[in-house]
Amino acid sequence: MSEAMEREGSGRAKYPSKVYERELFRLQEELVKMEQWVSDTKARVVAIFEGRDAAGKGGAIKRITEHTNPRITRHVALPKPSDRERSQWYFQRYIEELPAAGEIVLFDRSWYNRAGVERVLGFCTQAEYYRFLRQTPIFERLLVEDGIVLIKYWFSVSDEEQERRFAKRIDDPLRRWKLSETDLYSRTKWVDYSRAKDEMFVHTDTDLSPWWVVEADVKRNARLHCIAHLLSKIPYEPVDAPTRALPARQEDAGYVRPDRSTMTYVPDHAAGVVRS
């Protein structure tokens, strides 16, 4: 790379802004092509984004969906289960979110909650946890054998970088909502989460459905690497866009617009900002 690499808070090199923006836009153009191929071929794609709090999962998903069609590509981030959902088979509420033909679903956290936060914070029993580890490879095999493209990402962030991002969120009024009490408490369980992730990988990192680790200390790099890899795992081909022409507008044919005085308009906020 001819341009000098910049440095992030972690001290690691990151892509320069111009390089990052140019490559991100190119990859987003490819995402639109891939999405159209999925729609036309009636494929079904599921991508799972897991990792520690503040690892950058949401930021990556945001860049993936920035220019895609929300009717085709859906971002799913389920809240904590209701009492009714707790009484169901554990995978049931996730099954309801799986794609139909011609759809892509991006899970911002998924059924792997049971192997992470539920395991570490005691929100499930030992029996439920070990049942999950036994059933998950079978469940995912059923998805893949039914024709769903299943891709699993683990965003890996260091202790120091997570601490830096948490500190920024605490001080930023626009991002405080991203930092819950559970997120803060998770800092006290760092090693427990590490052990839980390691055990999860032992049971669910299979040849049929492997985990792909994204080094996420540098956000720009992580986003580009993840999007490029996602595109490489879907066998899409460019689809010819239909030729369209803008039709002529309908003639007025005597239509008279009501007087502006009969309508209530939103105040001109920008004018006040300029005067101040």
Side-chain angles (χ1 to χ4, degrees):
M1 186 178 296
S2 58
E3 300 182 50
M5 295 291 278
E6 300 174 4
R7 316 297 291 186
E8 194 160 87
S10 62
R12 298 193 181 184
K14 66 178 180 178
Y15 294 112
S17 296
K18 290 183 179 179
V19 174
Y20 168 72
E21 295 295 342
R22 183 170 64 244
E23 181 61 9
L24 178 61
F25 184 74
R26 186 190 71 80
L27 291 173
Q28 288 175 330
E29 285 186 316
E30 291 300 314
L31 284 169
V32 172
K33 296 176 187 177
M34 180 270 286
E35 180 187 57
Q36 189 60 53
W37 177 87
V38 168
S39 178
D40 287 6
T41 61
K42 307 303 180 186
R44 291 172 293 163
V45 177
V46 171
I48 288 174
F49 294 77
E50 293 284 350
R52 293 183 187 271
D53 299 313
K57 304 178 295 296
I61 292 172
K62 182 178 180 180
R63 273 67 184 182
I64 291 171
T65 60
E66 190 170 5
H67 299 290
T68 54
N69 185 342
R71 294 184 179 87
I72 299 174
T73 302
R74 289 190 290 115
H75 173 197
V76 175
L78 296 182
K80 65 180 182 180
S82 64
D83 290 340
R84 181 176 183 276
E85 288 171 330
R86 289 191 187 96
S87 71
Q88 298 173 341
W89 179 43
Y90 177 72
F91 295 96
Q92 191 166 333
R93 73 180 189 137
Y94 296 102
I95 289 173
E96 294 175 356
E97 300 293 341
L98 291 175
E103 293 181 350
I104 302 168
V105 173
L106 310 175
F107 280 100
D108 186 350
R109 297 202 182 281
S110 63
W111 46 86
Y112 282 101
N113 276 336
R114 174 137 294 177
V117 64
E118 291 191 18
R119 164 65 164 168
V120 173
L121 301 185
F123 295 155
C124 66
T125 66
Q126 286 281 83
E128 289 171 332
Y129 170 69
Y130 287 115
R131 186 186 310 131
F132 170 83
L133 294 181
R134 290 195 305 272
Q135 290 184 349
T136 298
I138 300 171
F139 173 64
E140 293 179 353
R141 176 176 288 277
L142 293 175
L143 299 183
V144 174
E145 288 181 349
D146 201 60
I148 291 177
V149 178
L150 176 62
I151 308 167
K152 303 187 303 192
Y153 291 112
W154 177 269
F155 278 64
S156 177
V157 66
S158 67
D159 182 1
E160 296 79 13
E161 181 60 19
Q162 186 194 54
E163 181 177 2
R164 189 184 72 84
R165 293 178 187 178
F166 275 1
K168 288 185 67 175
R169 290 181 180 184
I170 288 175
D171 296 332
D172 187 345
L174 299 181
R175 291 192 287 181
R176 285 176 190 157
W177 64 270
K178 292 184 176 183
L179 198 58
S180 68
E181 290 299 324
T182 301
D183 295 338
L184 293 172
Y185 183 61
S186 71
R187 289 283 300 166
T188 70
K189 298 287 186 178
W190 180 273
V191 176
D192 291 341
Y193 272 102
S194 296
R195 291 192 177 111
K197 174 255 183 181
D198 293 343
E199 187 168 9
M200 179 185 79
F201 269 46
V202 168
H203 292 272
T204 63
D205 185 21
T206 65
D207 291 339
L208 190 68
S209 180
W211 280 104
W212 296 96
V213 178
V214 181
E215 292 288 352
D217 269 11
V218 182
K219 291 181 179 180
R220 288 182 188 173
N221 300 16
R223 292 165 187 166
L224 296 185
H225 299 166
C226 181
I227 296 173
H229 183 268
L230 176 65
L231 289 166
S232 75
K233 302 305 293 182
I234 300 173
Y236 74 99
E237 297 177 354
V239 178
D240 292 334
T243 302
R244 292 173 178 163
L246 188 66
R249 195 191 70 169
Q250 180 185 15
E251 296 294 333
D252 287 352
Y255 169 75
V256 178
R257 183 176 179 178
D259 190 272
R260 289 175 60 90
S261 64
T262 65
M263 304 177 188
T264 305
Y265 287 87
V266 172
D268 188 344
H269 172 73
V273 172
V274 171
R275 284 196 296 270
S276 62

